[in-house]
Amino acid sequence: MEEQHIASAFDRDLEAIQARIMKMGGLVEAAIMEAARALETRDEELAAKVVKADAAIDGLEELINEDAARVIAIRSPAAVDLRVVLSVMKISGHLERIGDYAKNMAKRTGVLVQGPAVADSSAALRRMAREVELMLKDALDSYIQRDAELARDVIERDRDVDQMYNALFREFLTHMMEDPRNITSCMHLHFIAKNVERMGDHVTAMAEQVIYLVTGNKPEEERIKADTTSVSPQEV
Amino acid sequence: MEEQHIASAFDRDLEAIQARIMKMGGLVEAAIMEAARALETRDEELAAKVVKADAAIDGLEELINEDAARVIAIRSPAAVDLRVVLSVMKISGHLERIGDYAKNMAKRTGVLVQGPAVADSSAALRRMAREVELMLKDALDSYIQRDAELARDVIERDRDVDQMYNALFREFLTHMMEDPRNITSCMHLHFIAKNVERMGDHVTAMAEQVIYLVTGNKPEEERIKADTTSVSPQEV
């Protein structure tokens, strides 16, 4: 009876933390899409909103970490339950980093609107951001539903994001070489592209956490690093 | 008597984990300096060594996390002790990220040696990396000695690193505009500079953890983000 009571108290604690994770995830998804939209439509007001909204994401991470530490202290969870609580801290850490990248993207928008628009690259960046946002949504679903299959699918899709980044990298180099007036803008756009690619890496790490949580094993194969720009010099 | 026994068992566990943190820190310091040296001397062999050595850093992070989870499960530390164990996981996470950045830097060296050398920028990058490595050494010392004053000093010095990055950003833009043949190399060098700047941010976050650990409070003032390239468009 006593054990029953403790077990369900732990479950209730965990549900409360997971609700916060989902809330945090929703804010991060919105930040990604709004940052991408602000960039595409050159909307400084929306960009400023994204920058400001990051504080709420950071605040939720703090709360989640405090909740998790409290649950560990009070409930002394063992084995699987401890793994669940620790994974919560990892996942909130990844969400916080993705939120930071979205904020950084929005900050650069303020600079970019002061220069010339560079061809269709902001639309390509928005498509890339959209792909990452969908991956994030599925990674969060896979976490809540403990669905390792969906998590594996998310990891698979990160290759598309990496390919989109590689294509953009080549595109930016071309624009810079064609017209030096594009150089400053392309430096910032390149950073944004790399940041979106890194968001994808964090979503992938979240999905790997889910697989570890469900199966107790790390994903079978080492995740393939598909950003090839650092290893192949023949970019242009 | 029983409590005495438990307390010292916890202390022994903690010391073992902290020894691993210091070992990990030593490997990361070496990775930073060797990656910077490989870049400056265009030494592909040394760069390849840095890339390969990152696996040992990642392995230590895994071990530290497993150790920490085991200590939590077995000793059920409360309050301050729990905070210490959780901080260990944060610090090893930061070290792992810094190691990743060093690996990335070494990977790009393989590309850079195939293009022309860009003025004195790799020497400037080495100085910047050296500053970060010294900050890391002090951050680790401040952790082991629970020295909040030293940790505050580390946080202060991150501004110098940010300023070095801002100067390099302007330098790269100038080189690219002067001669388009520099564009590909400068894109990679810029990435490396940004990665070293990010290493500094992670060292700063470690120092903030130390302050939290010693004082129970987050550092007084919000850390000043001194990378101004995303907010000031007048770079050149």
Side-chain angles (χ1 to χ4, degrees), chain A residues 152-222:
Chain A
R152 284 196 194 94
D153 182 54
V154 168
I155 293 169
E156 194 64 37
R157 276 147 61 196
D158 192 42
R159 289 191 211 183
D160 298 337
V161 173
D162 289 338
Q163 274 166 15
M164 287 176 178
Y165 165 74
N166 290 334
L168 273 168
F169 182 85
R170 283 191 296 271
E171 200 180 307
F172 292 141
L173 282 181
T174 309
H175 285 309
M176 290 162 109
M177 292 190 181
E178 278 173 4
D179 186 348
R181 282 171 298 180
N182 286 327
I183 287 179
T184 305
S185 294
C186 281
M187 289 277 272
H188 288 295
L189 286 169
H190 180 209
F191 251 132
I192 291 176
K194 187 68 192 175
N195 282 354
V196 176
E197 190 261 342
R198 286 216 175 97
M199 287 180 193
D201 288 345
H202 281 282
V203 175
T204 300
M206 286 170 60
E208 287 173 344
Q209 271 294 315
V210 172
I211 292 171
Y212 175 59
L213 202 57
V214 177
T215 68
N217 295 316
K218 299 284 156 90
E220 300 78 6
E221 37 183 316
E222 173 78 9

Side-chain angles (χ1 to χ4, degrees), chain A residues 61-62 65 69-70 72-73 76-78 82 86 89-90 97 101 104 107-108 111 114 165 169 172-173 176-177 180 183-184 187-188 190-191 194-195 198 202 218 225 227 229-236, chain B residues 61-62 65 69-70 72-73 76-78 82 86 89-90 97 101 104 107-108 111 114 165 169 172-173 176-177 180 183-184 187-188 190-191 194-195 198 202 218 225 227 229-236:
Chain A
E61 194 212 0
E62 295 253 334
N65 280 345
R70 192 162 40 234
I72 292 171
S76 300
L82 180 62
L86 293 174
M89 298 170 84
K90 293 254 179 195
R97 300 275 313 166
Y101 285 129
N104 194 278
K107 270 191 188 170
R108 281 183 200 274
V111 188
Q114 297 175 46
Y165 165 74
F169 182 85
F172 292 141
L173 282 181
M176 290 162 109
M177 292 190 181
I183 287 179
T184 305
M187 289 277 272
H188 288 295
H190 180 209
F191 251 132
K194 187 68 192 175
N195 282 354
R198 286 216 175 97
H202 281 282
K218 299 284 156 90
K225 285 277 176 191
D227 167 3
T229 63
S230 67
V231 280
S232 82
Q234 282 81 25
E235 249 99 36
V236 180
Chain B
E61 194 212 1
E62 294 254 332
N65 280 345
R70 193 164 39 234
I72 292 171
S76 301
L82 180 62
L86 292 175
M89 298 170 85
K90 293 253 181 197
R97 301 276 312 167
Y101 285 130
N104 195 276
K107 270 193 190 171
R108 282 183 200 274
V111 188
Q114 299 178 44
Y165 165 73
F169 182 87
F172 293 141
L173 282 180
M176 289 163 111
M177 291 190 183
I183 287 179
T184 303
M187 288 279 271
H188 288 295
H190 180 210
F191 250 131
K194 187 69 193 174
N195 281 354
R198 286 218 175 95
H202 281 282
K218 298 286 154 92
K225 285 278 176 190
D227 166 4
T229 62
S230 66
V231 282
S232 82
Q234 281 80 26
E235 250 100 34
V236 181

Side-chain angles (χ1 to χ4, degrees), chain B residues 41-69:
Chain B
T41 59
R42 299 169 80 85
D43 183 341
E44 284 189 87
E45 215 168 301
L46 184 58
K49 189 191 145 206
V50 174
V51 172
K52 220 176 146 197
D54 190 54
I57 295 171
D58 291 350
L60 275 170
E61 194 212 1
E62 294 254 332
L63 283 177
I64 289 165
N65 280 345
E66 282 167 17
D67 285 350

Side-chain angles (χ1 to χ4, degrees), chain B residues 82-96:
Chain B
L82 180 62
R83 204 201 284 163
V84 172
V85 180
L86 292 175
S87 79
V88 155
M89 298 170 85
K90 293 253 181 197
I91 286 173
S92 69
H94 289 300
L95 285 173
E96 191 271 333

